[in-house]
């Protein structure tokens, strides 16, 4: 297995975990704020898709799945959903509200497919390219892709944890 195969396997698991949540999230759970935290399950699912989609679109210089798949309309989030969620104020985070988890799960799966399509365009050497010198050490393409997978895995895990809580 090379690095691209590992990245592909890792992101594939994110899509599988998202798919495994279908039918397991009630409308009541979707917008619940455990311990009055600003991020609901809806926010976690939305952010998971956004952080994959937006960052890959930037790396690939491509149109975001959010736009090409009309997810602003499908989710009902419109302009509020166009951001990535990093640095959200409590009010902005709580504005991410959904009626049905299925559209958010579809968005994650489509964003995962977008990530996988991008991987096909890369070589192992491309992973070493420095793409962001605003950090010390500077960030390579490979490190950014690992970061995307890591963030998505954490948020899907958080969703699974919250679903196990008693409301």
């Amino acid at each position: 297995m090379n690095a691209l195969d590992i990245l592909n396997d890792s992101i594939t698991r994110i899509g599988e975990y998202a798919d495994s949540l279908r039918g397991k999230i009630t409308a009541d759970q979707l917008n619940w704020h455990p311990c009055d935290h600003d991020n609901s399950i809806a926010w976690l699912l939305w952010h998971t898709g956004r952080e994959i989609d937006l960052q890959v679109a930037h790396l690939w210089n491509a149109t975001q799945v959010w736009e090409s798949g009309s997810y602003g309309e499908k989710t009902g989030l419109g302009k509020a959903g166009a951001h990535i969620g990093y640095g959200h104020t409590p009010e902005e985070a709580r504005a991410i509200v959904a009626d049905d988890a299925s559209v958010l799960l579809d968005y994650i799966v489509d964003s995962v497919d977008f990530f996988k399509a991008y991987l096909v365009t890369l070589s192992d050497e491309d992973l070493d390219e420095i793409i962001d010198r605003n950090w010390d050490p500077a960030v390579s393409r490979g490190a950014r892709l690992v970061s995307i997978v890591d963030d998505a895995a954490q948020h899907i895990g958080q969703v699974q944890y919250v679903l196990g809580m008693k409301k």
Side-chain angles (χ1 to χ4, degrees):
M1 234 181 174
N2 67 20
L4 290 167
D5 293 335
I6 291 169
L7 285 165
N8 188 68
D9 183 67
S10 298
I11 198 67
T12 296
R13 292 173 190 221
I14 302 302
E16 290 169 352
Y17 295 146
D19 257 345
S20 76
L21 294 170
R22 291 187 189 279
K24 296 180 181 174
I25 305 171
T26 66
D28 193 37
Q29 290 170 315
L30 190 57
N31 297 299
W32 178 40
H33 294 270
C35 299
D36 205 33
H37 195 281
D38 294 325
N39 298 345
S40 64
I41 288 175
W43 187 94
L44 290 166
L45 293 174
W46 162 82
H47 173 70
T48 300
R50 289 303 291 142
E51 69 90 12
I52 296 169
D53 181 19
L54 191 90
Q55 292 183 86
V56 171
H58 177 75
L59 289 170
W60 204 0
N61 196 27
T63 301
Q64 297 172 33
V65 173
W66 183 261
E67 297 166 7
S68 65
S70 301
Y71 277 100
E73 295 168 24
K74 289 178 184 177
T75 60
L77 294 173
K79 191 175 172 182
H83 304 286
I84 196 167
Y86 294 126
H88 257 175
T89 65
E91 295 78 24
E92 290 168 327
R94 287 176 179 269
I96 303 299
V97 176
D99 296 327
D100 182 2
S102 65
V103 175
L104 296 170
L105 296 171
D106 289 344
Y107 179 51
I108 293 170
V109 170
D110 286 350
S111 295
V112 163
D113 289 344
F114 186 50
F115 186 109
K116 291 167 67 170
Y118 174 61
L119 286 180
V120 172
T121 72
L122 301 175
S123 68
D124 281 337
E125 293 76 29
D126 291 329
L127 299 177
D128 292 328
E129 180 185 356
I130 300 301
I131 59 162
D132 189 346
R133 296 191 183 280
N134 294 318
W135 299 91
D136 186 17
V139 178
S140 69
R141 184 177 312 277
R144 178 62 47 84
L145 292 170
V146 167
S147 177
I148 293 168
V149 170
D150 178 59
D151 193 55
Q154 288 185 54
H155 291 310
I156 292 294
Q158 289 169 333
V159 168
Q160 292 169 330
Y161 179 76
V162 170
L163 286 173
M165 292 180 174
K166 294 192 188 302
K167 188 170 177 192

